[in-house]
Amino acid sequence: LTAGAAGFRDFRVQVDPAGVDRFFQNNQLAAFSRVVGAPRALVLTLPAGENDARYLVDALAELGLTAEVAPPSALPISVAALAEYDAIVLNDVPASALSPARMRALQSYVRDLGGGLIAIGGANAYAPGGYFQTPLEETLPVDMQIRDQQRIPQLTIAYVIDRSGSMAALSASGIANIELAKEAIIRSIDFLQATDRAGVASFDTDGSWIAQPQPVLDRLALQSLVATLRSGGGTDILAGMRLAGTALMQDPSQLKHIILLTDGGASDRGLVELTRELFEQHDVTTSVIAIGAFSPGVLQQMAEAGGGNYHVADDVTTIPTIFAQETVLATRSYIVEQPFVPQGGVPSPIMQGIDALPPLFGYVAATPKQTAQVILRGPAPFNDPILVAWQYGLGRAVAFTSDATARWAAEWVAWDGFADFWAQTIRWTITEGASANLEARVVMQGDGARVIVDARADDGGFLNGLTLETAITPAQGDPLRLTLQQVAPGRYEAAFIPENEGAYLLRLNGVTADSSEYNLTSGWVLSYSPEYSTSSAP
């Protein structure tokens, strides 16, 4: 049997007896092994960016880190399947390229399995990539919104929503398309500044306002109006676009943007001409989100004529993410492109041995979270975060808001410290998988089980007062997170109820009052009930 790559490996053996079998329940048994090897990183990048990812992959290979490059769609949805990687790198990946299920798996991988996550910026990442109010934003050490309202021009967005009968169709997740549209608008309104303006227009055989363009002061009232949107009727896109366009021509905001969402099926007469007129004569931009597998046609031509973007939502669950992405792009404020040399912040092992940095030529603006460590900052006057790190659950996450390509990091990819910087960044996120200070076992107690951990200091004394957490992950299913309680000197316990037979991955993280950290990766097997053992069977 070949163990394969490093990581936690579970095995299952099944016996099919040739003769009479009185108890099929004891025909299979699971086991596990932890294969030790060189650290493995999974680098996720868009197909168009695979060539740019070579700088990073080559740098990691130079220092003994194995890196596998894959598109975002290859990220496993199963949390247990991610355990074979020590770290996962998002290389300028938009949230719309990751389904909500994949983002939740990635979040659990860091929080519950103690995995490492490194997000690298670019024009498709962070706020411009639609990370706002997603599991990615929760996991990363930066918030997507810029808090300084003075640096963002006033924006008015008109949402033009198809409410025809076909919008009542259910997505694969069982949610109606019209409901996803409402969720998308509500998330987009959350991102807007209080000084911005928003309006919601809808159309079937005619156009009507759900909410007239108004200041985003009372978000809840505006979002309550959005919730009244209902599907039914025909499809007249031009009626909705005329309604929104007429209002935005007279709007006082510096920036004016229309987001059109439709599943098509309407006359294309006058649509391209109207969006071109709005853009060229009134500075109103238009982006189009098409539901379904559209071939390029009038909807794409509308976006091009309107100076906006065209999105095809093959997976309709990504619609809220696309709306968030469009809201950011409409502000034109989050991508900062200018030469600068990053300035040092708090000391970090990531920067060990690195005394000078080359210039960068751009980054995505973001806001560091309160408990995050800002290691590098951008230029004055905003001093935006460039490199930020934090502990998230059992794992660690790093945000680098510039890129790792020849666009913004042209001087970095040729820098002799490039490999050291990225290797040290990834190694910082990889928490140790074994510790001589912790010993863990699981014992069955009736229908339940108890995880017991004995903790000792390096000198052999008891480790007391630990904040000790564990995640218990089955081969199939979601992790169970537990906080262990100290029950005796150096001993910690927690009870749980296992659901299925098989091997479980145990990940433990303990922190002392002085922030010393202890980690352990182990396993446990839930076997069949003792009543089916050969020694006790009648």
Side-chain angles (χ1 to χ4, degrees):
L1 182 64
T2 302
F8 183 83
R9 294 286 177 270
D10 63 295
F11 306 92
R12 184 180 296 273
V13 175
Q14 181 162 332
V15 177
D16 295 319
V20 176
D21 184 17
R22 291 180 296 170
F23 300 101
F24 69 87
Q25 291 88 347
N26 62 4
N27 287 357
Q28 61 180 14
L29 189 64
F32 68 89
S33 178
R34 186 166 181 267
V35 182
V36 178
R40 276 184 88 202
L42 176 63
V43 180
L44 299 176
T45 190
L46 295 174
E50 287 182 358
N51 193 45
D52 288 332
R54 73 184 187 280
Y55 298 111
L56 180 63
V57 173
D58 290 347
L60 298 179
E62 184 180 326
L63 294 179
L65 287 167
T66 302
E68 174 187 332
V69 180
S73 58
L75 182 73
I77 296 177
S78 163
V79 178
L82 295 175
E84 64 181 88
Y85 300 104
D86 298 282
I88 294 175
V89 181
L90 300 178
N91 182 44
D92 193 20
V93 173
S96 56
L98 296 163
S99 66
R102 286 190 172 88
M103 285 190 279
R104 288 192 295 270
L106 193 56
Q107 179 181 38
S108 183
Y109 163 77
V110 180
R111 182 189 61 207
D112 304 325
L113 295 191
L117 175 65
I118 302 92
I120 300 175
N124 299 305
Y126 298 108
Y131 290 14
F132 179 63
Q133 288 188 351
T134 66
L136 268 183
E137 182 178 42
E138 294 176 14
T139 307
L140 291 172
V142 289
D143 287 324
M144 300 305 115
Q145 284 181 300
I146 299 174
R147 304 301 183 197
D148 183 3
Q149 297 183 11
Q150 300 304 313
R151 63 190 284 192
I152 303 175
Q154 186 183 40
L155 167 69
T156 295
I157 287 187
Y159 308 95
V160 181
I161 307 301
D162 186 343
R163 66 172 182 190
S164 60
S166 57
M167 288 291 288
L170 299 181
S171 68
S173 61
I175 302 173
N177 292 341
I178 193 70
E179 297 301 320
L180 288 168
K182 290 192 283 188
E183 179 189 341
I185 297 170
I186 289 169
R187 186 186 298 184
S188 176
I189 290 171
D190 275 337
F191 190 85
L192 294 173
Q193 305 287 341
T195 54
D196 291 331
R197 293 165 53 82
V200 184
S202 66
F203 61 88
D204 43 32
T205 54
D206 198 2
S208 61
W209 286 110
I210 300 296
Q212 293 270 1
Q214 57 193 275
V216 184
L217 294 174
D218 189 345
R219 295 177 196 271
L220 292 178
L222 188 54
Q223 291 167 338
S224 295
L225 291 173
V226 173
T228 66
L229 191 58
R230 297 289 183 268
S231 62
T235 308
D236 188 346
I237 299 174
L238 187 61
M241 287 294 297
R242 278 177 173 163
L243 192 68
T246 300
L248 263 59
M249 287 179 193
Q250 312 300 324
D251 195 88
S253 292
Q254 296 168 266
L255 302 174
K256 294 171 279 191
H257 188 58
I258 293 173
I259 301 178
L260 168 65
L261 173 72
T262 180
D263 60 3
S267 168
D268 59 6
R269 182 175 55 84
L271 292 174
V272 175
E273 292 79 8
L274 176 59
T275 52
R276 181 177 290 112
E277 177 188 347
L278 289 171
F279 179 49
E280 295 179 353
Q281 298 182 27
H282 304 282
D283 292 325
V284 178
T285 54
T286 298
S287 289
V288 180
I289 303 170
I291 298 177
F294 281 80
S295 59
V298 68
L299 296 180
Q300 183 172 3
Q301 293 170 27
M302 285 178 67
E304 292 170 353
N309 305 296
Y310 176 65
H311 306 269
V312 177
D314 294 317
D315 179 358
V316 294
T317 62
T318 64
I319 288 174
T321 297
I322 296 173
F323 266 69
Q325 185 178 3
E326 273 297 318
T327 310
V328 175
L329 295 175
T331 69
R332 307 176 196 172
S333 302
Y334 280 76
I335 294 178
V336 181
E337 293 193 289
Q338 66 180 69
F340 70 97
V341 176
Q343 302 301 306
V346 300
S348 169
I350 293 175
M351 302 302 296
Q352 184 176 356
I354 299 175
D355 301 319
L357 296 169
L360 291 165
F361 296 96
Y363 66 93
V364 179
T367 302
K369 290 180 179 173
Q370 188 172 7
T371 58
Q373 293 184 316
V374 181
I375 302 165
L376 294 175
R377 289 189 178 275
F382 303 121
N383 302 309
D384 290 319
I386 301 299
L387 180 66
V388 194
W390 78 339
Q391 181 87 27
Y392 181 69
L394 302 184
R396 293 173 175 176
V398 171
F400 184 70
T401 58
S402 189
D403 68 10
T405 75
R407 176 178 176 177
W408 292 341
E411 299 286 337
W412 280 53
V413 296
W415 168 44
D416 58 9
F418 185 75
D420 286 331
F421 173 80
W422 284 114
Q424 288 175 187
T425 299
I426 290 179
R427 288 186 188 279
W428 182 84
T429 69
I430 300 174
T431 54
E432 294 298 323
S435 170
N437 302 92
L438 302 179
E439 291 184 3
R441 65 185 187 278
V442 177
V443 297
M444 294 298 298
Q445 293 182 331
D447 293 332
R450 183 171 293 274
V451 57
I452 302 171
V453 177
D454 291 310
R456 290 186 175 272
D458 293 335
D459 61 6
F462 295 120
L463 268 175
N464 297 318
L466 279 179
T467 299
L468 189 60
E469 293 182 311
T470 185
I472 304 172
T473 308
Q476 300 293 330
D478 297 324
L480 172 65
R481 294 188 68 194
L482 301 172
T483 298
L484 285 77
Q485 303 297 322
Q486 186 167 4
V487 296
R491 174 162 291 187
Y492 302 80
E493 296 185 3
F496 69 101
I497 299 176
E499 294 185 357
N500 301 305
E501 293 181 13
Y504 288 72
L505 169 66
L506 270 68
R507 175 70 184 177
L508 292 115
N509 175 261
V511 181
T512 62
D514 63 359
S515 298
S516 297
E517 194 170 347
Y518 300 91
N519 298 288
L520 177 68
T521 298
S522 185
W524 169 68
V525 174
L526 175 61
S527 180
Y528 48 77
S529 176
E531 65 186 284
Y532 297 113
S533 65
T534 54
S535 60
S536 61

